[in-house]
Amino acid sequence: MNQKPDKDAPYKVSRKEIRALIDRYRVTDGKKFRLKDHDPGDTGGHQMSKGQAQDLLETGTATLAAHQEKLYAQDRWSMLCVFQAMDAAGKDGTIKHVMSGVNPQGVQVTSFKAPGPEDLDHDFLWRIWRALPERGRIGIFNRSHYEEVLVVRVHPKILDKQRLPTELVGKRIWKERLESIAAMEEYLARQGTVILKFFLHLSKDEQKKRFLARLDEPEKNWKFSASDLAERAYWDDYMTAYEETIAATATPEAPWFVVPADNKWFTRLVVVAAMNEALNRLDLAFPEVTNEQRAALAAARTKLESEH
Ligand code: ATP
Ligand code: MG
């Protein structure tokens, strides 16, 4: 018998190693946060074949599905996962793969595009409140309130459209917005929302490769947008904005995960592991059946069985 090549053997990774990985990318205190300390190509020392990564991802999504059922049944906590990234970092693919096993009824995905007229008639968090997950549910934000301190900061012209009273628009506006966001998240955490924020950290080189692939491969052409290329020209401004944003809003109750995004298989594994770890900490359980309920169940059985 031929021995199986190594790449087909299951890739073994212990719980301890998984926890170490999550700790490696979790930011809970912005004081010393520097983006340059984070390598987009990092894989935490792990190398595996596509098939091995796929198997691990499946294990992760199955665990997530099991947690989600309990979250839903218990109906107390909710979980909000925010995804932010430069174009082509893999937000959509990560969301698709990580959530693939979860009951769609327990998940609410919202993609935040440029605000429309109704949004612009309100404060910037208005549309965010409306999209928050109900108790027992997982809310996924594909882009989020953070655009207000990222794209709006990089292109201050967008701010003009928001029609804020001029005396409220000064140098401090970004610091103030970051404070408002942090305050909102603290409040939500106190209300039982578990908040995880993922920055899919892509390198500029890898973005170029992915844009070129979108141009080269006909089936990827639809993904290419000239405006993505225009935003690439502001790369450094975005990186500065991300760094200040993460530094100002990373807290233990609403941590950022700076997830290396140059290797898609790795990004997905880290995201699913971080979600599972956060849910695991909640000690979720199906609601206990009380004696009264047990008696009602027995009565229901008797009634059903007496039917003819
Ligand atoms: P994505 O680029 O996230 O994959 P998409 O290509 O399907 O999404 P786009 O039309 O590019 O959709 O919509 C996202 C755009 O909306 C981004 O350029 C983003 O910066 C912008 N956007 C999101 N929120 C805001 C906001 N609050 N203010 C201004 N622009 C915003
Ligand atoms: Mg886009």
Side-chain angles (χ1 to χ4, degrees):
M1 277 254 290
N2 281 341
Q3 228 185 326
K4 273 189 178 179
D6 242 0
K7 66 181 177 55
D8 287 335
Y11 188 90
K12 289 261 179 348
V13 48
S14 68
R15 273 169 175 256
K16 203 173 149 198
E17 283 175 303
I18 294 176
R19 226 173 299 127
L21 269 187
I22 301 167
D23 288 345
R24 189 178 172 103
Y25 305 121
R26 188 199 288 106
V27 184
T28 56
D29 175 3
K31 254 186 220 129
K32 290 186 189 142
F33 179 73
R34 292 284 175 280
L35 213 41
K36 68 171 170 47
D37 297 335
H38 294 255
D39 173 9
D42 183 29
T43 58
H46 296 276
Q47 270 315 327
M48 57 189 92
S49 68
K50 265 194 171 178
Q52 288 172 323
Q54 184 57 35
D55 287 349
L56 278 182
L57 185 61
E58 274 170 29
T59 309
T61 55
T63 305
L64 185 60
H67 281 314
Q68 186 268 340
E69 266 193 57
K70 288 184 191 161
L71 185 81
Y72 189 87
Q74 201 180 51
D75 206 13
R76 288 178 184 267
W77 297 95
S78 56
M79 183 157 88
L80 174 64
C81 300
V82 167
F83 287 87
Q84 285 291 156
M86 295 298 281
D87 290 302
K91 276 186 289 109
D92 293 20
T94 301
I95 293 167
K96 174 174 142 186
H97 284 91
V98 167
M99 303 312 291
S100 59
V102 171
N103 180 352
Q105 297 202 75
V107 185
Q108 299 157 334
V109 183
T110 311
S111 296
F112 288 98
K113 314 270 177 188
E118 199 185 7
D119 302 321
L120 290 170
D121 259 339
H122 294 86
D123 61 281
F124 79 86
L125 289 174
W126 179 77
R127 65 174 181 164
I128 304 299
W129 291 108
R130 291 159 44 104
L132 289 171
E134 297 160 28
R135 287 193 198 284
R137 314 249 174 160
I138 299 176
I140 304 284
F141 281 4
N142 185 351
R143 301 186 187 270
S144 67
H145 41 307
Y146 281 101
E147 292 292 327
E148 293 287 341
V149 286
L150 296 165
V151 69
V152 184
R153 188 170 187 175
V154 171
H155 300 289
K157 270 195 178 156
I158 300 176
L159 196 57
D160 299 341
K161 290 197 206 148
Q162 299 187 357
R163 305 197 319 278
L164 290 161
T166 44
E167 50 271 63
L168 297 181
V169 184
K171 265 198 202 139
R172 290 178 45 84
I173 189 160
W174 309 116
K175 189 168 179 285
E176 288 169 357
R177 280 191 175 199
L178 289 165
E179 284 169 6
S180 300
I181 290 173
M184 179 215 202
E185 291 178 353
E186 182 182 48
Y187 166 78
L188 289 174
R190 288 174 174 163
Q191 284 292 306
T193 305
V194 176
I195 304 171
L196 306 181
K197 302 175 294 195
F198 297 101
F199 170 47
L200 307 191
H201 185 26
L202 183 73
S203 68
K204 200 174 175 189
D205 276 352
E206 181 62 25
Q207 190 195 50
K208 182 176 174 178
K209 277 189 205 147
R210 292 186 189 175
F211 280 174
L212 285 172
R214 289 177 180 187
L215 295 171
D216 290 344
E217 299 168 35
E219 67 280 13
K220 286 189 180 169
N221 283 171
W222 66 273
K223 287 191 189 177
F224 186 80
S225 123
S227 66
D228 293 353
L229 195 57
E231 286 318 288
R232 179 176 164 83
Y234 295 91
W235 187 275
D236 292 346
D237 294 342
Y238 273 107
M239 290 307 116
T240 305
Y242 267 109
E243 186 170 85
E244 288 185 25
T245 294
I246 293 168
T249 57
T251 63
E253 58 281 349
W256 274 101
F257 292 84
V258 179
V259 186
D262 281 5
N263 297 286
K264 288 181 181 172
W265 62 269
F266 190 66
T267 310
R268 294 167 189 172
L269 289 178
V270 172
V271 169
V272 77
M275 289 170 75
N276 281 330
E277 198 254 2
L279 290 170
N280 205 30
R281 274 200 236 175
L282 300 181
D283 235 346
L284 298 167
F286 290 107
E288 295 230 356
V289 180
T290 61
N291 285 340
E292 210 170 291
Q293 285 166 328
R294 216 181 302 277
L297 293 177
R301 170 184 293 279
T302 314
K303 196 167 176 196
L304 275 172
E305 285 175 350
S306 68
E307 271 182 13
H308 44 261

